[in-house]
Amino acid sequence: MEIKNDFKISNPALDGQRNICQRRAATISYMLDEARKRGLDEEFARAAIYQYGRDIGEKMFQSLQNPTDLKEFETFFAAMPHRDIYEMTTEECTDERLLVHFHYCPYVAEWLEQNRDDEELSNLCDLAMEGDRAIGDCFPAFQFRLGKTIAQGNSVCEIEFTRKRGVEK
């Protein structure tokens, strides 16, 4: 599969932040390699990444005046420092739905440099998204969905938050 993962924005500070993300990606993949050598599965990594996301999500939840308001959530989400790292764009933001596209992924860049095969690349991406799933789980009014991903050969990664039925703003 051919993967397009090219950034358009570059400056020394942003490139440094992306490099840190790539180091995290390398740590994740090498940690999993070593775990497999020892007969372990990846569930420990999923749990650890989920907890990392949960820590972030709980702080986000506490910082919002109305944690059931997707538009307020998007405003906070848009202000986060990682927005430029991933070249994120808000594709839709209504009272019922928030759709965000990631146009670049430094994690995928690292795993491609490591020559990870398509299946492993997709699995590593899914594993890394445990943090985003945990953030979503911190907001009982929203349903999180991971859509298409760069690791699957798509042009963007897509995350969506929708209001759960019966939950008012």
Side-chain angles (χ1 to χ4, degrees):
M1 155 177 46
E2 182 180 342
I3 294 180
K4 292 199 179 253
N5 187 38
D6 302 315
F7 57 83
K8 293 179 180 47
I9 304 167
S10 180
N11 64 56
L14 185 57
D15 296 344
Q17 290 175 320
R18 286 181 175 143
N19 182 267
I20 291 168
C21 290
Q22 284 186 253
R23 289 181 197 175
R24 281 190 211 127
T27 300
I28 291 168
S29 56
Y30 291 141
M31 194 178 300
L32 289 172
D33 290 345
E34 291 301 316
R36 283 186 203 103
K37 288 177 188 176
R38 290 162 174 76
L40 301 173
D41 66 21
E42 66 188 34
E43 290 311 308
F44 78 94
R46 284 190 180 276
I49 293 168
Y50 186 90
Q51 184 58 54
Y52 167 77
R54 190 132 189 106
D55 292 346
I56 294 168
E58 287 171 356
K59 287 177 186 168
M60 285 176 67
F61 186 89
Q62 295 300 320
S63 70
L64 298 180
Q65 289 183 1
N66 181 357
T68 66
D69 184 341
L70 271 170
K71 290 181 179 177
E72 182 184 358
F73 177 83
E74 192 280 334
T75 301
F76 186 88
F77 198 75
M80 294 182 81
H82 64 270
R83 191 160 184 94
D84 286 343
I85 294 169
Y86 298 95
E87 299 189 11
M88 295 164 53
T89 56
T90 299
E91 299 299 311
E92 181 180 338
C93 183
T94 67
D95 289 336
E96 301 301 316
R97 181 177 188 232
L98 170 61
L99 178 65
V100 178
H101 283 178
F102 294 54
H103 296 271
Y104 175 73
C105 181
Y107 286 74
V108 169
E110 176 61 32
W111 296 327
L112 287 170
E113 284 183 28
Q114 292 178 358
N115 294 314
R116 303 291 173 161
D117 65 33
D118 294 350
E119 183 179 334
E120 189 171 17
L121 190 62
S122 184
N123 185 59
L124 285 165
C125 172
D126 186 69
L127 186 137
M129 292 304 294
E130 287 296 329
D132 296 272
R133 288 182 188 97
I135 290 170
D137 287 349
C138 289
F139 289 84
F142 308 151
Q143 177 67 46
F144 170 83
R145 183 184 71 84
L146 174 62
K148 56 191 173 184
T149 68
I150 293 170
Q152 296 167 332
N154 296 290
S155 61
V156 296
C157 290
E158 181 179 80
I159 63 169
E160 177 185 55
F161 294 90
T162 54
R163 178 172 313 289
K164 289 182 181 175
R165 285 182 158 198
V167 176
E168 294 191 27
K169 183 176 131 179

